[in-house]
């Protein structure tokens, strides 16, 4: 699916927030020190975060609004120190059960890949679950209200 088709699906069947403004995006990029890739920019101009399938408090997929995106080590470990995880991993999606989808901006190549992180094993056992946000969103929407990477046949099923 194209990014436009995915965004239309989010609006039609899920729980998007109002769009971010260009000023909010610029403020976010200044705060974090990296630029949104084209897919993330399209998403945030469409919706500044969203819950997929179920609204809060029951959502499995909470795509964070720009103001709540933090380094993964801060979101998961509560401290911004190298011993708590790499500085280039950012918490993007919270599943509320200790599972996270992280954006990996460390290589600086766009689109940014996404990693799986579980609070119990972070940062040691993070694995790639999507090559881009579009790939992540397509898999999440296709997988129903279950974390697709943990399902049989998902990217972590070995």
């Amino acid at each position: 699916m194209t990014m436009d088709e995915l965004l239309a699906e989010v609006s039609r069947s899920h729980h998007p927030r109002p769009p971010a403004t260009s000023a909010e995006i610029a403020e976010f990029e200044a705060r974090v020190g990296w630029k949104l890739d084209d897919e993330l920019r399209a998403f945030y101009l469409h919706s500044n975060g969203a819950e997929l399938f179920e609204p809060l408090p029951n959502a499995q997929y909470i795509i964070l609004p720009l103001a709540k995106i933090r380094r993964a080590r801060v979101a998961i470990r509560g401290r911004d120190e190298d011993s708590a995880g790499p500085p280039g991993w950012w918490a993007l999606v919270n599943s509320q059960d200790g599972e996270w989808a992280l954006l990996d901006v460390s290589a600086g190549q766009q689109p940014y890949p996404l990693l799986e992180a579980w609070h119990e094993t972070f940062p040691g056992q993070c694995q790639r679950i999507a090559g881009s946000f579009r790939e992540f969103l397509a898999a999440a929407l296709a997988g129903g209200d279950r974390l697709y990477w943990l399902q049989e046949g998902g990217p972590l099923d070995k």
Side-chain angles (χ1 to χ4, degrees):
M1 292 181 92
T2 68
M3 197 64 193
D4 286 341
E5 291 169 326
L6 293 168
L7 295 175
E9 173 65 18
V10 168
S11 288
R12 182 175 44 256
S13 303
H14 301 277
H15 308 278
R17 293 188 175 99
T21 65
S22 295
E24 288 172 316
I25 290 174
E27 181 180 303
F28 168 80
E29 291 175 336
R31 174 174 64 87
V32 299
W34 48 271
K35 301 281 186 197
L36 294 175
D37 64 31
D38 291 342
E39 295 170 356
L40 287 163
R41 183 174 302 280
F43 176 81
Y44 282 100
L45 286 170
H46 181 83
S47 173
N48 190 1
E51 291 90 43
L52 303 182
F53 304 100
E54 296 288 331
L56 287 171
N58 299 319
Q60 285 285 320
Y61 285 100
I62 303 166
I63 303 171
L64 299 173
L66 292 171
K68 292 192 176 185
I69 294 174
R70 303 278 183 268
R71 280 195 170 101
R73 63 194 191 185
V74 173
I76 298 170
R77 293 283 177 239
R79 58 189 198 278
D80 199 4
E81 303 167 355
D82 287 344
S83 63
W89 292 356
W90 294 80
L92 184 68
V93 180
N94 182 355
S95 73
Q96 300 195 95
D97 69 352
E99 278 288 332
W100 294 80
L102 311 179
L103 198 61
D104 181 0
V105 303
S106 60
Q109 295 182 313
Q110 297 184 6
Y112 303 120
L114 280 87
L115 310 172
E116 172 270 349
W118 186 48
H119 74 284
E120 294 291 325
T121 59
F122 179 82
Q125 296 182 3
C126 296
Q127 298 178 52
R128 185 177 172 144
I129 56 171
S132 69
F133 182 70
R134 185 194 56 74
E135 183 182 321
F136 170 85
L137 189 56
L141 294 175
D145 192 22
R146 299 181 328 235
L147 301 178
Y148 75 87
W149 60 88
L150 299 177
Q151 303 308 309
E152 186 173 325
L156 301 184
D157 183 30
K158 295 190 179 191

